[in-house]
Amino acid sequence: MPAITTSTSELLSRFDSLRRTLAAYSHATGVLQYDGDTVAPRGSAALRGQTLAVLSGVTYELQTGSDTTELLRELRSRSDELDPITLRDVSEMLRRIERLSRIPADEYVAYNRLVNEAGAVWRDAKERSDFALFRPYLEKIFETNIRFNRYIAPDTPVYDTALDEYERGLTTEKCDAFFAALRERIVPLMSRVSAYLAASKPEPFTSRRFPVWKQRLLSGRLMDILRLDRDHCIIGETEHPFTSGFTRSDVRITTHYHENSVLSSMFSVIHEGGHALYELGIGEEYDGTGLAGGISMSIHESQSRFYENIIGRSRAFAGLIVPVLREIFPEEAADVDAESFYRAVCRAEPSLIRIEADELTYCLHIMVRYELERGVMEGRFEVGDLPRLWNEKMGEYLGVTVPDDAHGVLQDSHWSGGGIGYFPSYALGSAYGAQMLEVMRKTVDVDAAVASGDLLPVNEWLREHVWRHGCMYDPGDLLERCCGAPFDPSCFTRYLERKYGDLCTNL
Ligand code: ZN
């Protein structure tokens, strides 16, 4: 325990050593996980699970030990002697530790081992479309999350604690209000769009065979267009695309290539590229601190979906990318023009797979997951009933028939990794991005920048208002600083109504 007489500078030097050690463990853990998800042989999962369990055990001890807690509390009590970044870093770490210390160490280590094994089992189960294989793992994951959230906040509904984990301050009440607002505007829009769709045909190029080796070249070109620094960002291949940001000097993104769907990987790369830009754009003043990452899943998704949808699915981007497509795929894309590309990437129709869903129907996929995971967390649904409930809700909201669990309840990796409470972040992220666009347009000619192929003005605006701040501000505060107003879901519905209204009227 630090003596009262210990100087603040000595406490700060201990704190600096602590956060560097924690950062090293976190880096090692992250790289091992990335390796497990990408290139490691399948038979290595058990060993990796043991190693990760040891690392997480040591990290847990280091974080929750009485020395650490006392050090952080002492530093916080001297807040007037700390600079704002250090004060925020100390407070955030203390908050995390106080939450974590409510979970017994052995249960925490066992849970880390569980989710690591569950990842491998989920991949097998999805490949064979065999939910029964995954079910015992998913049951344990839900049970553990319920138990942990009760430890963390005994007086708060467990699903609210789960939501708060990913987006501080988010509750089921706010989610319900947000989704209700979306449903009210999206459903009438969907019926207008389906009338338009009935009169149009899918663009033939979208299901044509595009060789994977050429799609890899396209990924490289997309990374260049987004201005991703290739010295600090690489791309790997996984079943389910994701981004791992270790520090602003090492960010990894992944994609999945489908030979008969060139747009699938293309928009995954743009989406993950948005996540990567955020991580790469964090201010150097946060190097070596615990604040050198994105602040929340929703703000992260606001960036990825900004690039994927607002930029990637714009007329200006269609004009930019079609010549690139025709250069890389001279035969496959010979008849593709900018307008047909734009129509194809904005085509909105109910579908089975979330990551391939369009902007308009996407939030309905999120609503299905939100209602199901919330139901299990609240004890209203059994894990064993999830496949049936999933299929029912997909029928109810999207009008689609789910052929098997691989295209249904097993499609996403999130639950296998313990990511319960994550999904609403996707929908919120879309809405945040639309609000940022409205403000950005006041000073940046977004379409002109995209059409010119130089995204610098867009990137710089986001760097200035979002990326460089790292974890300095809570997500709601960051959004308000960025937009000069609190969160307003109507920006998103206005954006969708304008875009799809135009598509239905002018095509
Ligand atoms: Zn994402």
Side-chain angles (χ1 to χ4, degrees):
M1 179 178 173
I4 298 302
T5 51
T6 311
S7 70
T8 303
S9 67
E10 193 185 328
L11 295 181
L12 284 171
S13 127
R14 280 191 221 164
F15 176 60
D16 196 49
S17 151
L18 169 71
R19 64 186 176 184
R20 282 182 197 284
T21 308
L22 286 172
Y25 278 105
S26 157
H27 185 195
T29 301
V31 173
L32 260 178
Q33 281 167 340
Y34 179 85
D35 183 73
D37 284 330
T38 51
V39 293
R42 193 166 287 208
S44 67
L47 173 63
R48 191 169 44 260
Q50 287 168 24
T51 305
L52 287 167
V54 170
L55 289 176
S56 75
V58 175
T59 306
Y60 180 90
E61 290 297 324
L62 204 56
Q63 286 183 323
T64 56
S66 57
D67 283 1
T68 299
T69 314
E70 292 302 330
L71 170 67
L72 294 172
R73 286 187 179 146
E74 184 59 34
L75 276 170
R76 193 172 58 180
S77 76
R78 303 185 191 189
S79 59
D80 51 351
E81 295 176 61
L82 308 183
D83 65 81
I85 291 177
T86 306
L87 177 59
R88 171 78 174 176
D89 201 7
V90 166
S91 309
E92 288 294 282
M93 199 184 287
L94 197 52
R95 180 180 188 272
R96 269 197 307 277
I97 288 168
E98 284 172 346
R99 285 167 78 95
L100 195 58
S101 64
R102 294 184 189 136
I103 299 168
D106 54 335
E107 292 187 36
Y108 178 76
V109 172
Y111 180 65
N112 277 291
R113 195 179 301 128
L114 169 69
V115 291
N116 186 63
E117 283 172 30
V121 175
W122 165 75
R123 274 194 291 278
D124 263 1
K126 183 180 172 184
E127 219 168 274
R128 300 190 217 164
S129 194
D130 182 359
F131 183 77
L133 198 63
F134 182 48
R135 176 179 167 175
Y137 287 84
L138 191 58
E139 279 172 345
K140 277 190 209 142
I141 287 171
F142 269 105
E143 281 162 20
T144 314
N145 271 273
I146 291 169
R147 201 167 63 247
F148 282 8
N149 288 340
R150 285 200 182 118
Y151 291 147
I152 291 169
D155 301 324
T156 306
V158 286
Y159 190 59
D160 280 355
T161 305
L163 291 171
D164 184 75
E165 183 71 24
Y166 294 100
E167 180 77 356
R168 199 172 300 173
L170 187 63
T171 60
T172 46
E173 196 186 341
K174 287 182 189 169
C175 275
D176 284 346
F178 170 57
F179 283 122
L182 291 189
R183 196 166 20 189
E184 191 188 317
R185 306 286 282 272
I186 290 177
V187 171
L189 194 52
M190 271 177 69
S191 55
R192 279 184 69 192
V193 171
S194 49
Y196 150 70
L197 273 180
S200 72
K201 290 193 184 74
E203 296 298 327
F205 83 91
T206 54
S207 54
R208 218 171 266 163
R209 190 180 155 269
F210 283 72
V212 167
W213 69 270
K214 288 191 194 175
Q215 291 196 44
R216 291 196 182 100
L217 297 178
L218 176 62
S219 295
R221 294 290 287 273
L222 291 167
M223 290 174 79
D224 291 341
I225 288 171
L226 293 181
R227 302 179 74 99
L228 281 163
D229 180 352
R230 306 287 282 277
D231 281 343
H232 296 289
C233 182
I234 57 151
I235 185 163
E237 293 176 30
T238 50
E239 174 66 27
H240 188 96
F242 65 84
T243 300
S244 286
F246 306 127
T247 72
R248 70 189 176 92
S249 68
D250 186 355
V251 178
R252 321 281 177 91
I253 64 174
T254 71
T255 188
H256 187 100
Y257 295 107
H258 299 269
E259 204 165 54
N260 294 317
S261 174
V262 67
L263 296 179
S264 169
S265 168
M266 185 172 164
F267 281 91
S268 285
V269 171
I270 301 173
H271 177 98
E272 302 306 331
H275 284 303
L277 283 168
Y278 184 13
E279 292 285 327
L280 292 163
I282 285 162
E284 61 186 314
E285 63 272 34
Y286 300 112
D287 284 353
T289 74
L291 308 177
I295 180 62
S296 74
M297 298 303 170
S298 298
I299 299 288
H300 242 300
E301 286 302 319
S302 76
Q303 301 308 288
S304 55
R305 303 184 73 72
F306 189 95
Y307 283 90
E308 179 190 350
N309 291 329
I310 292 174
I311 301 290
R313 293 189 163 89
S314 65
R315 275 210 166 80
F317 188 78
L320 173 69
I321 203 66
V322 164
V324 176
L325 278 175
R326 293 175 67 161
E327 180 197 321
I328 297 177
F329 305 98
E331 288 157 28
E332 299 85 346
D335 56 350
V336 181
D337 59 52
E339 195 55 29
S340 64
F341 179 88
Y342 180 63
R343 277 199 303 270
V345 300
C346 292
R347 193 175 171 86
E349 76 192 313
S351 61
L352 292 166
I353 307 295
R354 177 186 62 84
I355 58 164
E356 287 161 19
D358 54 76
E359 270 184 289
L360 188 59
T361 57
Y362 188 86
C363 290
L364 303 176
H365 289 258
I366 299 302
M367 273 173 52
V368 169
R369 288 149 179 81
Y370 165 67
E371 290 179 12
L372 292 187
E373 64 179 20
R374 178 181 172 183
V376 177
M377 291 294 278
E378 291 176 351
R380 289 181 288 111
F381 300 150
E382 298 284 336
V383 166
D385 291 331
L386 286 178
R388 177 181 58 78
L389 292 166
W390 180 287
N391 300 350
E392 281 173 14
K393 285 193 184 289
M394 289 297 286
E396 187 188 334
Y397 295 147
L398 287 135
V400 294
T401 305
V402 180
D404 55 45
D405 291 338
H407 294 85
V409 70
L410 287 172
Q411 66 181 265
D412 294 313
S413 66
H414 301 60
W415 289 341
S416 77
I420 295 160
Y422 183 115
F423 283 116
S425 300
Y426 289 112
L428 274 174
S430 296
Y432 289 174
Q435 192 168 347
M436 289 174 193
L437 176 71
E438 278 197 7
V439 183
M440 186 190 292
R441 280 200 196 282
K442 292 176 185 165
T443 51
V444 176
D445 189 339
V446 178
D447 291 330
V450 176
S452 75
D454 186 0
L455 288 178
L456 190 64
V458 173
N459 287 10
E460 284 306 310
W461 193 95
L462 290 169
R463 182 193 304 279
E464 172 64 23
H465 293 90
V466 182
W467 306 341
R468 73 182 175 92
H469 297 297
C471 294
M472 193 62 196
Y473 307 108
D474 283 355
D477 295 342
L478 179 67
L479 185 76
E480 197 163 339
R481 287 173 70 96
C482 169
C483 296
F487 174 48
D488 175 8
S490 73
C491 297
F492 182 48
T493 50
R494 258 199 306 282
Y495 161 81
L496 288 175
E497 280 164 348
R498 194 171 301 140
K499 183 169 191 173
Y500 285 93
D502 167 75
L503 271 164
C504 298
T505 312
N506 297 331
L507 293 174

